[in-house]
Amino acid sequence: MTSKGSEDRSAARTGATDATASKDMSDATGKSEAAPGENLPAAPGTNPEPVVISSRQGMFGVSDGGDTSGYGGLVSPVLFPAAAVRPYGGYYDEVADRLERALVGGTASYAQAVERVVIDRGEMTVFVAREHLLAVVRALRDDASLRFEMCTGVSGVHYPHETGRELHAVYHLRSITHGGRTIRLEVTCPEDDAHIPSIVGVYPANDWHERETWDMFGIEFDGHPALTRILMPDDWPGHPQRKDYPLGGIPVEYKGATILPPDQRRSYN
């Protein structure tokens, strides 16, 4: 016969053993049993896990450089932040709500114009469909409750692995009226149809920034008053900041002055 106390101690030891075995199995597989509700959609106000769009091999993503350091075996994912879930926090919800109201009755609704909103590293990025970019920037500039008077420029980005959205134009807007609020607009287009509407008619100071982005990345800003090269010679082939552009060893000529490839330049030692 066993006493009631012995049975309780035996059950406790069995429970502890089961818990340890469960933990060991979790550690071995890298997964644990989902808690109730864990597989439900993200709660409002949370940022979902980043989206993997590609992977990079080696320390710097170069695969044909004769690497002998051992870093060539590194494989790391290329991550993009996922769309944020309301509430965003700070003034971002107010901006989103007011932009939605400002677009009512226009050429496009908020749902048509805005693809998604990303909150990452303390910044709000609004992804805008390129065909509705002008409607969005006019609303952001002119609506009294938004009043983003300044566009401090546009930058280009090239993501070769993002099929159909390889080229991105990123705009930084600032509202002086509302205490220096800032937001980012991001617009994408495919390499084989690299066209985005020019916003020079709304933000005239963007003139040279659009020229530079076209020069370096090949994004054509439709409606720009004079979309010409600004950094490279007028007859320069290609767009040097695309990631598939050849690296180095290309002779450069500026109105008669030639810059030789690196291996032919004079050595100062």
Side-chain angles (χ1 to χ4, degrees), residues 205-254:
N206 221 46
D207 187 333
W208 285 16
H209 294 280
E210 290 185 2
R211 285 179 59 194
E212 183 177 355
T213 303
W214 174 77
D215 196 357
M216 295 290 103
F217 291 92
I219 298 175
E220 297 189 37
F221 293 94
D222 298 334
H224 189 284
L227 195 62
T228 57
R229 298 265 188 191
I230 191 171
L231 297 176
M232 307 305 291
D234 294 339
D235 57 351
W236 186 262
H239 304 280
Q241 287 193 349
R242 287 199 184 185
K243 291 181 180 176
D244 53 3
Y245 192 81
L247 298 176
I250 301 172
V252 184
E253 182 178 341
Y254 288 95

mmCIF file of all heavy atoms in Angstrom, residues 205-254:
data_model
loop_
_atom_site.group_PDB
_atom_site.id
_atom_site.type_symbol
_atom_site.label_atom_id
_atom_site.label_comp_id
_atom_site.label_asym_id
_atom_site.label_seq_id
_atom_site.Cartn_x
_atom_site.Cartn_y
_atom_site.Cartn_z
ATOM 1 N N ALA A 205 10.017 72.760 -55.671
ATOM 2 C CA ALA A 205 11.412 72.529 -55.278
ATOM 3 C C ALA A 205 11.865 71.102 -55.549
ATOM 4 O O ALA A 205 13.050 70.791 -55.426
ATOM 5 C CB ALA A 205 11.612 72.866 -53.796
ATOM 6 N N ASN A 206 10.928 70.244 -55.935
ATOM 7 C CA ASN A 206 11.293 68.855 -56.233
ATOM 8 C C ASN A 206 11.899 68.696 -57.627
ATOM 9 O O ASN A 206 12.298 67.592 -58.009
ATOM 10 C CB ASN A 206 10.053 67.958 -56.112
ATOM 11 C CG ASN A 206 10.352 66.640 -55.443
ATOM 12 O OD1 ASN A 206 11.023 66.596 -54.428
ATOM 13 N ND2 ASN A 206 9.867 65.555 -56.024
ATOM 14 N N ASP A 207 11.969 69.765 -58.377
ATOM 15 C CA ASP A 207 12.463 69.755 -59.754
ATOM 16 C C ASP A 207 13.801 69.019 -59.874
ATOM 17 O O ASP A 207 13.922 68.003 -60.580
ATOM 18 C CB ASP A 207 12.590 71.203 -60.240
ATOM 19 C CG ASP A 207 12.932 71.318 -61.714
ATOM 20 O OD1 ASP A 207 13.569 70.385 -62.262
ATOM 21 O OD2 ASP A 207 12.584 72.336 -62.324
ATOM 22 N N TRP A 208 14.832 69.504 -59.190
ATOM 23 C CA TRP A 208 16.158 68.918 -59.340
ATOM 24 C C TRP A 208 16.246 67.532 -58.708
ATOM 25 O O TRP A 208 17.009 66.694 -59.160
ATOM 26 C CB TRP A 208 17.211 69.850 -58.731
ATOM 27 C CG TRP A 208 17.475 71.042 -59.603
ATOM 28 C CD1 TRP A 208 16.696 71.500 -60.636
ATOM 29 C CD2 TRP A 208 18.592 71.917 -59.538
ATOM 30 N NE1 TRP A 208 17.248 72.610 -61.205
ATOM 31 C CE2 TRP A 208 18.420 72.897 -60.548
ATOM 32 C CE3 TRP A 208 19.717 71.998 -58.714
ATOM 33 C CZ2 TRP A 208 19.345 73.919 -60.755
ATOM 34 C CZ3 TRP A 208 20.633 73.026 -58.919
ATOM 35 C CH2 TRP A 208 20.444 73.968 -59.933
ATOM 36 N N HIS A 209 15.463 67.286 -57.670
ATOM 37 C CA HIS A 209 15.494 65.970 -57.034
ATOM 38 C C HIS A 209 14.963 64.895 -57.988
ATOM 39 O O HIS A 209 15.490 63.778 -58.036
ATOM 40 C CB HIS A 209 14.674 65.988 -55.746
ATOM 41 C CG HIS A 209 15.247 66.877 -54.683
ATOM 42 N ND1 HIS A 209 16.294 66.492 -53.876
ATOM 43 C CD2 HIS A 209 14.924 68.139 -54.307
ATOM 44 C CE1 HIS A 209 16.585 67.477 -53.038
ATOM 45 N NE2 HIS A 209 15.783 68.485 -53.286
ATOM 46 N N GLU A 210 13.909 65.215 -58.718
ATOM 47 C CA GLU A 210 13.390 64.258 -59.698
ATOM 48 C C GLU A 210 14.391 64.029 -60.820
ATOM 49 O O GLU A 210 14.551 62.899 -61.307
ATOM 50 C CB GLU A 210 12.040 64.741 -60.246
ATOM 51 C CG GLU A 210 10.917 64.659 -59.219
ATOM 52 C CD GLU A 210 9.560 65.031 -59.800
ATOM 53 O OE1 GLU A 210 9.483 65.317 -61.020
ATOM 54 O OE2 GLU A 210 8.577 65.033 -59.033
ATOM 55 N N ARG A 211 15.083 65.091 -61.240
ATOM 56 C CA ARG A 211 16.107 64.922 -62.271
ATOM 57 C C ARG A 211 17.223 63.995 -61.788
ATOM 58 O O ARG A 211 17.695 63.136 -62.538
ATOM 59 C CB ARG A 211 16.700 66.287 -62.650
ATOM 60 C CG ARG A 211 15.793 67.142 -63.518
ATOM 61 C CD ARG A 211 16.429 68.480 -63.823
ATOM 62 N NE ARG A 211 17.719 68.324 -64.516
ATOM 63 C CZ ARG A 211 18.602 69.308 -64.668
ATOM 64 N NH1 ARG A 211 18.347 70.507 -64.151
ATOM 65 N NH2 ARG A 211 19.723 69.096 -65.316
ATOM 66 N N GLU A 212 17.648 64.157 -60.545
ATOM 67 C CA GLU A 212 18.707 63.300 -60.011
ATOM 68 C C GLU A 212 18.252 61.850 -59.899
ATOM 69 O O GLU A 212 19.002 60.920 -60.214
ATOM 70 C CB GLU A 212 19.151 63.809 -58.641
ATOM 71 C CG GLU A 212 20.300 63.002 -58.048
ATOM 72 C CD GLU A 212 20.777 63.559 -56.728
ATOM 73 O OE1 GLU A 212 20.282 64.626 -56.303
ATOM 74 O OE2 GLU A 212 21.650 62.923 -56.111
ATOM 75 N N THR A 213 17.016 61.642 -59.460
ATOM 76 C CA THR A 213 16.497 60.279 -59.330
ATOM 77 C C THR A 213 16.369 59.621 -60.695
ATOM 78 O O THR A 213 16.647 58.427 -60.857
ATOM 79 C CB THR A 213 15.135 60.296 -58.598
ATOM 80 O OG1 THR A 213 15.303 60.927 -57.321
ATOM 81 C CG2 THR A 213 14.614 58.884 -58.390
ATOM 82 N N TRP A 214 15.961 60.388 -61.702
ATOM 83 C CA TRP A 214 15.927 59.832 -63.061
ATOM 84 C C TRP A 214 17.339 59.516 -63.543
ATOM 85 O O TRP A 214 17.596 58.448 -64.119
ATOM 86 C CB TRP A 214 15.266 60.805 -64.034
ATOM 87 C CG TRP A 214 15.362 60.303 -65.444
ATOM 88 C CD1 TRP A 214 14.605 59.321 -66.013
ATOM 89 C CD2 TRP A 214 16.313 60.706 -66.445
ATOM 90 N NE1 TRP A 214 15.011 59.093 -67.308
ATOM 91 C CE2 TRP A 214 16.061 59.929 -67.596
ATOM 92 C CE3 TRP A 214 17.333 61.647 -66.467
ATOM 93 C CZ2 TRP A 214 16.801 60.064 -68.762
ATOM 94 C CZ3 TRP A 214 18.068 61.795 -67.634
ATOM 95 C CH2 TRP A 214 17.806 61.006 -68.762
ATOM 96 N N ASP A 215 18.268 60.424 -63.315
ATOM 97 C CA ASP A 215 19.652 60.251 -63.755
ATOM 98 C C ASP A 215 20.263 58.988 -63.153
ATOM 99 O O ASP A 215 20.901 58.191 -63.848
ATOM 100 C CB ASP A 215 20.465 61.478 -63.338
ATOM 101 C CG ASP A 215 21.800 61.580 -64.058
ATOM 102 O OD1 ASP A 215 22.139 60.673 -64.839
ATOM 103 O OD2 ASP A 215 22.508 62.578 -63.838
ATOM 104 N N MET A 216 20.072 58.778 -61.853
ATOM 105 C CA MET A 216 20.721 57.676 -61.144
ATOM 106 C C MET A 216 19.966 56.355 -61.243
ATOM 107 O O MET A 216 20.570 55.286 -61.236
ATOM 108 C CB MET A 216 20.906 58.041 -59.672
ATOM 109 C CG MET A 216 21.859 59.191 -59.411
ATOM 110 S SD MET A 216 23.593 58.768 -59.748
ATOM 111 C CE MET A 216 23.841 59.576 -61.341
ATOM 112 N N PHE A 217 18.627 56.399 -61.335
ATOM 113 C CA PHE A 217 17.830 55.173 -61.261
ATOM 114 C C PHE A 217 16.972 54.911 -62.499
ATOM 115 O O PHE A 217 16.432 53.821 -62.646
ATOM 116 C CB PHE A 217 16.922 55.197 -60.025
ATOM 117 C CG PHE A 217 17.679 55.092 -58.730
ATOM 118 C CD1 PHE A 217 18.083 56.232 -58.073
ATOM 119 C CD2 PHE A 217 17.996 53.858 -58.184
ATOM 120 C CE1 PHE A 217 18.793 56.160 -56.880
ATOM 121 C CE2 PHE A 217 18.701 53.765 -57.006
ATOM 122 C CZ PHE A 217 19.108 54.918 -56.351
ATOM 123 N N GLY A 218 16.797 55.911 -63.351
ATOM 124 C CA GLY A 218 16.010 55.698 -64.560
ATOM 125 C C GLY A 218 14.514 55.769 -64.372
ATOM 126 O O GLY A 218 13.756 55.328 -65.244
ATOM 127 N N ILE A 219 14.041 56.351 -63.261
ATOM 128 C CA ILE A 219 12.601 56.552 -63.083
ATOM 129 C C ILE A 219 12.198 57.798 -63.868
ATOM 130 O O ILE A 219 12.738 58.885 -63.631
ATOM 131 C CB ILE A 219 12.226 56.721 -61.603
ATOM 132 C CG1 ILE A 219 12.580 55.453 -60.817
ATOM 133 C CG2 ILE A 219 10.745 57.042 -61.453
ATOM 134 C CD1 ILE A 219 12.359 55.580 -59.317
ATOM 135 N N GLU A 220 11.269 57.650 -64.801
ATOM 136 C CA GLU A 220 10.808 58.783 -65.605
ATOM 137 C C GLU A 220 9.603 59.433 -64.925
ATOM 138 O O GLU A 220 8.576 58.798 -64.730
ATOM 139 C CB GLU A 220 10.437 58.313 -67.015
ATOM 140 C CG GLU A 220 11.623 57.751 -67.785
ATOM 141 C CD GLU A 220 11.288 57.491 -69.245
ATOM 142 O OE1 GLU A 220 10.524 58.302 -69.810
ATOM 143 O OE2 GLU A 220 11.777 56.493 -69.792
ATOM 144 N N PHE A 221 9.774 60.711 -64.569
ATOM 145 C CA PHE A 221 8.709 61.443 -63.888
ATOM 146 C C PHE A 221 7.880 62.176 -64.935
ATOM 147 O O PHE A 221 8.267 63.232 -65.449
ATOM 148 C CB PHE A 221 9.319 62.402 -62.866
ATOM 149 C CG PHE A 221 9.990 61.695 -61.721
ATOM 150 C CD1 PHE A 221 11.354 61.422 -61.752
ATOM 151 C CD2 PHE A 221 9.250 61.255 -60.631
ATOM 152 C CE1 PHE A 221 11.969 60.748 -60.711
ATOM 153 C CE2 PHE A 221 9.854 60.577 -59.581
ATOM 154 C CZ PHE A 221 11.218 60.330 -59.628
ATOM 155 N N ASP A 222 6.745 61.591 -65.257
ATOM 156 C CA ASP A 222 5.883 62.120 -66.311
ATOM 157 C C ASP A 222 5.347 63.500 -65.935
ATOM 158 O O ASP A 222 4.802 63.692 -64.842
ATOM 159 C CB ASP A 222 4.708 61.163 -66.563
ATOM 160 C CG ASP A 222 5.173 59.801 -67.049
ATOM 161 O OD1 ASP A 222 6.259 59.731 -67.654
ATOM 162 O OD2 ASP A 222 4.458 58.803 -66.811
ATOM 163 N N GLY A 223 5.520 64.458 -66.861
ATOM 164 C CA GLY A 223 5.049 65.808 -66.623
ATOM 165 C C GLY A 223 6.116 66.730 -66.084
ATOM 166 O O GLY A 223 5.855 67.923 -65.880
ATOM 167 N N HIS A 224 7.323 66.219 -65.854
ATOM 168 C CA HIS A 224 8.414 67.081 -65.390
ATOM 169 C C HIS A 224 8.761 68.090 -66.480
ATOM 170 O O HIS A 224 8.812 67.745 -67.660
ATOM 171 C CB HIS A 224 9.640 66.236 -65.039
ATOM 172 C CG HIS A 224 10.735 66.991 -64.364
ATOM 173 N ND1 HIS A 224 11.588 67.837 -65.037
ATOM 174 C CD2 HIS A 224 11.115 67.036 -63.063
ATOM 175 C CE1 HIS A 224 12.446 68.370 -64.190
ATOM 176 N NE2 HIS A 224 12.193 67.898 -62.981
ATOM 177 N N PRO A 225 9.035 69.356 -66.120
ATOM 178 C CA PRO A 225 9.262 70.379 -67.144
ATOM 179 C C PRO A 225 10.543 70.206 -67.947
ATOM 180 O O PRO A 225 10.622 70.692 -69.080
ATOM 181 C CB PRO A 225 9.297 71.686 -66.340
ATOM 182 C CG PRO A 225 9.615 71.273 -64.940
ATOM 183 C CD PRO A 225 8.999 69.924 -64.761
ATOM 184 N N ALA A 226 11.559 69.540 -67.397
ATOM 185 C CA ALA A 226 12.825 69.388 -68.132
ATOM 186 C C ALA A 226 13.615 68.221 -67.533
ATOM 187 O O ALA A 226 14.583 68.414 -66.805
ATOM 188 C CB ALA A 226 13.655 70.664 -68.077
ATOM 189 N N LEU A 227 13.175 67.011 -67.844
ATOM 190 C CA LEU A 227 13.794 65.824 -67.244
ATOM 191 C C LEU A 227 15.084 65.475 -67.993
ATOM 192 O O LEU A 227 15.091 64.674 -68.920
ATOM 193 C CB LEU A 227 12.813 64.647 -67.275
ATOM 194 C CG LEU A 227 13.176 63.461 -66.380
ATOM 195 C CD1 LEU A 227 13.198 63.875 -64.907
ATOM 196 C CD2 LEU A 227 12.179 62.317 -66.579
ATOM 197 N N THR A 228 16.181 66.106 -67.579
ATOM 198 C CA THR A 228 17.482 65.879 -68.200
ATOM 199 C C THR A 228 18.477 65.443 -67.136
ATOM 200 O O THR A 228 18.236 65.582 -65.931
ATOM 201 C CB THR A 228 17.995 67.160 -68.874
ATOM 202 O OG1 THR A 228 18.047 68.212 -67.892
ATOM 203 C CG2 THR A 228 17.071 67.578 -70.005
ATOM 204 N N ARG A 229 19.614 64.919 -67.600
ATOM 205 C CA ARG A 229 20.674 64.512 -66.673
ATOM 206 C C ARG A 229 21.108 65.702 -65.824
ATOM 207 O O ARG A 229 21.115 66.841 -66.290
ATOM 208 C CB ARG A 229 21.874 63.984 -67.456
ATOM 209 C CG ARG A 229 21.574 62.737 -68.287
ATOM 210 C CD ARG A 229 21.926 61.490 -67.548
ATOM 211 N NE ARG A 229 21.814 60.303 -68.394
ATOM 212 C CZ ARG A 229 21.870 59.066 -67.928
ATOM 213 N NH1 ARG A 229 22.055 58.853 -66.642
ATOM 214 N NH2 ARG A 229 21.767 58.042 -68.737
ATOM 215 N N ILE A 230 21.508 65.409 -64.582
ATOM 216 C CA ILE A 230 21.962 66.475 -63.702
ATOM 217 C C ILE A 230 23.341 66.177 -63.114
ATOM 218 O O ILE A 230 24.063 67.081 -62.721
ATOM 219 C CB ILE A 230 20.932 66.722 -62.575
ATOM 220 C CG1 ILE A 230 21.236 67.997 -61.802
ATOM 221 C CG2 ILE A 230 20.850 65.523 -61.643
ATOM 222 C CD1 ILE A 230 20.133 68.403 -60.837
ATOM 223 N N LEU A 231 23.720 64.905 -63.058
ATOM 224 C CA LEU A 231 25.029 64.509 -62.541
ATOM 225 C C LEU A 231 25.919 63.914 -63.629
ATOM 226 O O LEU A 231 27.110 64.214 -63.688
ATOM 227 C CB LEU A 231 24.871 63.494 -61.399
ATOM 228 C CG LEU A 231 24.129 63.988 -60.150
ATOM 229 C CD1 LEU A 231 23.960 62.846 -59.151
ATOM 230 C CD2 LEU A 231 24.885 65.134 -59.499
ATOM 231 N N MET A 232 25.338 63.081 -64.469
ATOM 232 C CA MET A 232 26.108 62.415 -65.523
ATOM 233 C C MET A 232 26.024 63.222 -66.819
ATOM 234 O O MET A 232 25.133 64.052 -66.996
ATOM 235 C CB MET A 232 25.576 60.992 -65.751
ATOM 236 C CG MET A 232 25.492 60.146 -64.484
ATOM 237 S SD MET A 232 27.062 60.038 -63.604
ATOM 238 C CE MET A 232 28.020 59.046 -64.746
ATOM 239 N N PRO A 233 26.974 62.995 -67.756
ATOM 240 C CA PRO A 233 26.899 63.668 -69.063
ATOM 241 C C PRO A 233 25.589 63.354 -69.780
ATOM 242 O O PRO A 233 24.964 62.316 -69.542
ATOM 243 C CB PRO A 233 28.093 63.080 -69.819
ATOM 244 C CG PRO A 233 29.018 62.592 -68.764
ATOM 245 C CD PRO A 233 28.158 62.129 -67.637
ATOM 246 N N ASP A 234 25.168 64.246 -70.652
ATOM 247 C CA ASP A 234 23.877 64.110 -71.330
ATOM 248 C C ASP A 234 23.754 62.800 -72.095
ATOM 249 O O ASP A 234 22.659 62.234 -72.215
ATOM 250 C CB ASP A 234 23.660 65.277 -72.300
ATOM 251 C CG ASP A 234 23.522 66.605 -71.574
ATOM 252 O OD1 ASP A 234 23.192 66.592 -70.372
ATOM 253 O OD2 ASP A 234 23.745 67.649 -72.215
ATOM 254 N N ASP A 235 24.869 62.321 -72.652
ATOM 255 C CA ASP A 235 24.814 61.110 -73.479
ATOM 256 C C ASP A 235 25.249 59.867 -72.713
ATOM 257 O O ASP A 235 25.583 58.856 -73.319
ATOM 258 C CB ASP A 235 25.697 61.289 -74.722
ATOM 259 C CG ASP A 235 27.153 61.608 -74.370
ATOM 260 O OD1 ASP A 235 27.432 61.852 -73.175
ATOM 261 O OD2 ASP A 235 27.995 61.632 -75.293
ATOM 262 N N TRP A 236 25.223 59.914 -71.401
ATOM 263 C CA TRP A 236 25.675 58.771 -70.601
ATOM 264 C C TRP A 236 24.685 57.613 -70.711
ATOM 265 O O TRP A 236 23.483 57.803 -70.549
ATOM 266 C CB TRP A 236 25.814 59.173 -69.133
ATOM 267 C CG TRP A 236 26.415 58.094 -68.278
ATOM 268 C CD1 TRP A 236 25.755 57.208 -67.484
ATOM 269 C CD2 TRP A 236 27.794 57.781 -68.161
ATOM 270 N NE1 TRP A 236 26.630 56.371 -66.873
ATOM 271 C CE2 TRP A 236 27.895 56.697 -67.272
ATOM 272 C CE3 TRP A 236 28.954 58.306 -68.730
ATOM 273 C CZ2 TRP A 236 29.120 56.134 -66.931
ATOM 274 C CZ3 TRP A 236 30.165 57.745 -68.386
ATOM 275 C CH2 TRP A 236 30.242 56.669 -67.498
ATOM 276 N N PRO A 237 25.161 56.404 -70.985
ATOM 277 C CA PRO A 237 24.249 55.252 -71.071
ATOM 278 C C PRO A 237 24.000 54.646 -69.689
ATOM 279 O O PRO A 237 24.924 54.450 -68.902
ATOM 280 C CB PRO A 237 25.022 54.269 -71.962
ATOM 281 C CG PRO A 237 26.466 54.593 -71.716
ATOM 282 C CD PRO A 237 26.529 56.063 -71.422
ATOM 283 N N GLY A 238 22.752 54.333 -69.405
ATOM 284 C CA GLY A 238 22.431 53.637 -68.155
ATOM 285 C C GLY A 238 22.270 54.567 -66.970
ATOM 286 O O GLY A 238 22.383 55.788 -67.067
ATOM 287 N N HIS A 239 22.005 53.936 -65.822
ATOM 288 C CA HIS A 239 21.687 54.670 -64.594
ATOM 289 C C HIS A 239 22.530 54.083 -63.466
ATOM 290 O O HIS A 239 22.245 52.984 -62.959
ATOM 291 C CB HIS A 239 20.189 54.575 -64.311
ATOM 292 C CG HIS A 239 19.369 55.067 -65.471
ATOM 293 N ND1 HIS A 239 19.155 56.412 -65.713
ATOM 294 C CD2 HIS A 239 18.751 54.401 -66.483
ATOM 295 C CE1 HIS A 239 18.434 56.552 -66.810
ATOM 296 N NE2 HIS A 239 18.168 55.348 -67.295
ATOM 297 N N PRO A 240 23.569 54.807 -63.035
ATOM 298 C CA PRO A 240 24.652 54.223 -62.231
ATOM 299 C C PRO A 240 24.289 53.681 -60.857
ATOM 300 O O PRO A 240 25.065 52.907 -60.308
ATOM 301 C CB PRO A 240 25.648 55.384 -62.098
ATOM 302 C CG PRO A 240 25.363 56.272 -63.253
ATOM 303 C CD PRO A 240 23.890 56.168 -63.475
ATOM 304 N N GLN A 241 23.170 54.066 -60.267
ATOM 305 C CA GLN A 241 22.875 53.562 -58.922
ATOM 306 C C GLN A 241 21.909 52.381 -58.914
ATOM 307 O O GLN A 241 21.497 51.938 -57.839
ATOM 308 C CB GLN A 241 22.352 54.694 -58.026
ATOM 309 C CG GLN A 241 23.466 55.652 -57.633
ATOM 310 C CD GLN A 241 23.075 56.583 -56.510
ATOM 311 O OE1 GLN A 241 21.913 56.679 -56.120
ATOM 312 N NE2 GLN A 241 24.056 57.288 -55.976
ATOM 313 N N ARG A 242 21.611 51.856 -60.087
ATOM 314 C CA ARG A 242 20.876 50.590 -60.096
ATOM 315 C C ARG A 242 21.827 49.471 -59.682
ATOM 316 O O ARG A 242 23.026 49.503 -59.986
ATOM 317 C CB ARG A 242 20.307 50.304 -61.480
ATOM 318 C CG ARG A 242 19.121 51.182 -61.841
ATOM 319 C CD ARG A 242 18.338 50.571 -62.979
ATOM 320 N NE ARG A 242 17.244 51.422 -63.429
ATOM 321 C CZ ARG A 242 16.355 51.055 -64.346
ATOM 322 N NH1 ARG A 242 16.448 49.867 -64.924
ATOM 323 N NH2 ARG A 242 15.390 51.870 -64.702
ATOM 324 N N LYS A 243 21.292 48.481 -59.004
ATOM 325 C CA LYS A 243 22.156 47.446 -58.441
ATOM 326 C C LYS A 243 22.715 46.492 -59.484
ATOM 327 O O LYS A 243 23.635 45.729 -59.197
ATOM 328 C CB LYS A 243 21.394 46.668 -57.364
ATOM 329 C CG LYS A 243 21.125 47.519 -56.139
ATOM 330 C CD LYS A 243 20.395 46.763 -55.056
ATOM 331 C CE LYS A 243 20.154 47.666 -53.856
ATOM 332 N NZ LYS A 243 19.368 47.006 -52.797
ATOM 333 N N ASP A 244 22.163 46.519 -60.702
ATOM 334 C CA ASP A 244 22.711 45.666 -61.757
ATOM 335 C C ASP A 244 23.661 46.449 -62.666
ATOM 336 O O ASP A 244 24.061 45.965 -63.715
ATOM 337 C CB ASP A 244 21.582 45.040 -62.580
ATOM 338 C CG ASP A 244 20.597 46.088 -63.119
ATOM 339 O OD1 ASP A 244 20.825 47.303 -62.910
ATOM 340 O OD2 ASP A 244 19.595 45.681 -63.738
ATOM 341 N N TYR A 245 24.029 47.663 -62.252
ATOM 342 C CA TYR A 245 24.937 48.485 -63.056
ATOM 343 C C TYR A 245 26.367 47.990 -62.852
ATOM 344 O O TYR A 245 26.757 47.636 -61.739
ATOM 345 C CB TYR A 245 24.816 49.946 -62.632
ATOM 346 C CG TYR A 245 25.484 50.925 -63.569
ATOM 347 C CD1 TYR A 245 24.849 51.340 -64.738
ATOM 348 C CD2 TYR A 245 26.742 51.430 -63.294
ATOM 349 C CE1 TYR A 245 25.449 52.236 -65.601
ATOM 350 C CE2 TYR A 245 27.355 52.336 -64.143
ATOM 351 C CZ TYR A 245 26.704 52.730 -65.304
ATOM 352 O OH TYR A 245 27.296 53.614 -66.163
ATOM 353 N N PRO A 246 27.193 47.939 -63.907
ATOM 354 C CA PRO A 246 28.577 47.451 -63.765
ATOM 355 C C PRO A 246 29.372 48.305 -62.766
ATOM 356 O O PRO A 246 29.195 49.523 -62.681
ATOM 357 C CB PRO A 246 29.154 47.599 -65.178
ATOM 358 C CG PRO A 246 27.966 47.660 -66.075
ATOM 359 C CD PRO A 246 26.863 48.288 -65.296
ATOM 360 N N LEU A 247 30.254 47.645 -62.001
ATOM 361 C CA LEU A 247 31.036 48.333 -60.985
ATOM 362 C C LEU A 247 32.439 48.642 -61.495
ATOM 363 O O LEU A 247 33.195 47.745 -61.827
ATOM 364 C CB LEU A 247 31.146 47.475 -59.716
ATOM 365 C CG LEU A 247 29.830 47.158 -59.002
ATOM 366 C CD1 LEU A 247 30.078 46.220 -57.829
ATOM 367 C CD2 LEU A 247 29.190 48.444 -58.494
ATOM 368 N N GLY A 248 32.795 49.906 -61.560
ATOM 369 C CA GLY A 248 34.173 50.326 -61.800
ATOM 370 C C GLY A 248 34.693 50.035 -63.189
ATOM 371 O O GLY A 248 34.090 49.343 -64.003
ATOM 372 N N GLY A 249 35.878 50.603 -63.461
ATOM 373 C CA GLY A 249 36.572 50.337 -64.713
ATOM 374 C C GLY A 249 35.922 50.948 -65.932
ATOM 375 O O GLY A 249 36.181 50.524 -67.055
ATOM 376 N N ILE A 250 35.066 51.952 -65.758
ATOM 377 C CA ILE A 250 34.371 52.557 -66.894
ATOM 378 C C ILE A 250 34.930 53.954 -67.121
ATOM 379 O O ILE A 250 34.901 54.792 -66.218
ATOM 380 C CB ILE A 250 32.854 52.652 -66.641
ATOM 381 C CG1 ILE A 250 32.277 51.260 -66.379
ATOM 382 C CG2 ILE A 250 32.141 53.298 -67.808
ATOM 383 C CD1 ILE A 250 30.846 51.279 -65.928
ATOM 384 N N PRO A 251 35.511 54.252 -68.305
ATOM 385 C CA PRO A 251 36.037 55.595 -68.548
ATOM 386 C C PRO A 251 34.908 56.623 -68.558
ATOM 387 O O PRO A 251 33.842 56.395 -69.135
ATOM 388 C CB PRO A 251 36.695 55.477 -69.922
ATOM 389 C CG PRO A 251 36.011 54.315 -70.574
ATOM 390 C CD PRO A 251 35.660 53.368 -69.466
ATOM 391 N N VAL A 252 35.143 57.764 -67.910
ATOM 392 C CA VAL A 252 34.141 58.822 -67.807
ATOM 393 C C VAL A 252 34.687 60.068 -68.475
ATOM 394 O O VAL A 252 35.824 60.460 -68.253
ATOM 395 C CB VAL A 252 33.810 59.124 -66.327
ATOM 396 C CG1 VAL A 252 32.697 60.170 -66.242
ATOM 397 C CG2 VAL A 252 33.392 57.854 -65.609
ATOM 398 N N GLU A 253 33.852 60.707 -69.318
ATOM 399 C CA GLU A 253 34.288 61.911 -70.005
ATOM 400 C C GLU A 253 33.314 63.045 -69.720
ATOM 401 O O GLU A 253 32.108 62.901 -69.892
ATOM 402 C CB GLU A 253 34.368 61.678 -71.515
ATOM 403 C CG GLU A 253 34.884 62.903 -72.292
ATOM 404 C CD GLU A 253 34.998 62.623 -73.787
ATOM 405 O OE1 GLU A 253 35.039 61.440 -74.158
ATOM 406 O OE2 GLU A 253 35.031 63.589 -74.561
ATOM 407 N N TYR A 254 33.865 64.172 -69.238
ATOM 408 C CA TYR A 254 33.058 65.351 -68.956
ATOM 409 C C TYR A 254 33.518 66.482 -69.863
ATOM 410 O O TYR A 254 34.539 67.134 -69.607
ATOM 411 C CB TYR A 254 33.208 65.776 -67.495
ATOM 412 C CG TYR A 254 32.534 64.842 -66.530
ATOM 413 C CD1 TYR A 254 33.241 63.812 -65.903
ATOM 414 C CD2 TYR A 254 31.177 64.975 -66.243
ATOM 415 C CE1 TYR A 254 32.619 62.954 -65.020
ATOM 416 C CE2 TYR A 254 30.543 64.115 -65.358
ATOM 417 C CZ TYR A 254 31.264 63.113 -64.746
ATOM 418 O OH TYR A 254 30.643 62.260 -63.864
#
